[in-house]
Amino acid sequence: MKKKILFLTEASNKIGNGHLSRCLALSGFLKVRYKIFFISKYNLKEVLPKSFKTIDFNSVRYDYFDAVIIDLKFIGKDYQKKINELKIKNKIIISDKLYEKLKPSLTIIPYLNNINTNKKQKVTSGLDSLVLNKKLISIAK
């Protein structure tokens, strides 16, 4: 049985599609080995491929997902509370800052180099941590 990954992201006319685009690129690579789900406070059904399912926070079972990938501009207290309520051990955060209270397994900071962290935190940053879609990768080759 495939493991299940939950993507938590946002996209709308107001905030743009950058976070969603990055999550779609990453989920495109992962969908071969994992079952992919998306969750957002915005309706993403119209912009997601049909192979991905959307769910809302009220229907999430805390023991259902093996990992969550969080790609949000800002993770406020309300989101932190909801994420912690999911009780998902493996958390990957894509952001421009560290969120130590969420105890992520990995933090990806693609736009900054030389991030100061303590030795307990796993952080990747800079150009090596960019998440690109297959079309951009093929153009670069």
Side-chain angles (χ1 to χ4, degrees):
M1 181 175 221
K2 284 186 176 182
K3 291 188 176 190
K4 295 167 281 307
I5 296 179
L6 177 64
F7 279 84
L8 170 57
T9 190
E10 293 178 346
S12 72
N13 292 336
K14 195 175 190 181
I15 63 170
N17 291 317
H19 299 283
L20 177 62
S21 296
R22 185 170 37 222
C23 288
L24 286 173
L26 186 54
S27 64
F29 288 106
L30 296 173
K31 72 180 180 181
V32 175
R33 301 180 83 191
Y34 301 94
K35 195 168 183 178
I36 305 295
F37 296 83
F38 278 82
I39 191 168
S40 177
K41 64 182 176 183
Y42 300 100
N43 183 5
L44 299 177
K45 285 183 182 180
E46 296 173 7
V47 294
L48 289 176
K50 295 193 186 318
S51 59
F52 300 144
K53 296 183 189 282
T54 60
I55 56 175
D56 61 29
F57 274 109
N58 297 328
S59 65
V60 177
R61 288 192 2 233
Y62 72 90
D63 61 344
Y64 190 69
F65 295 99
D66 300 290
V68 60
I69 298 175
I70 304 156
D71 189 345
L72 298 168
K73 181 175 176 106
F74 177 72
I75 305 173
K77 289 183 181 181
D78 58 331
Y79 264 132
Q80 288 183 37
K81 182 181 177 192
K82 288 179 180 182
I83 292 165
N84 284 328
E85 286 172 356
L86 294 175
K87 297 183 181 178
I88 299 172
K89 184 178 178 181
N90 297 310
K91 294 183 216 81
I92 298 171
I93 299 175
I94 304 172
S95 181
D96 58 357
K97 69 181 258 186
L98 300 171
Y99 290 95
E100 295 177 37
K101 290 183 179 179
L102 289 173
K103 298 178 183 168
S105 307
L106 174 66
T107 299
I108 300 170
I109 304 177
Y111 307 114
L112 302 172
N113 283 322
N114 303 325
I115 305 300
N116 293 327
T117 65
N118 63 41
K119 293 184 180 186
K120 294 179 184 177
Q121 294 175 306
K122 293 182 183 176
V123 177
T124 182
S125 64
L127 293 176
D128 292 336
S129 64
L130 288 175
V131 178
L132 302 173
N133 67 33
K134 292 177 185 179
K135 187 175 180 181
L136 286 175
I137 292 170
S138 66
I139 290 170
K141 288 180 181 177

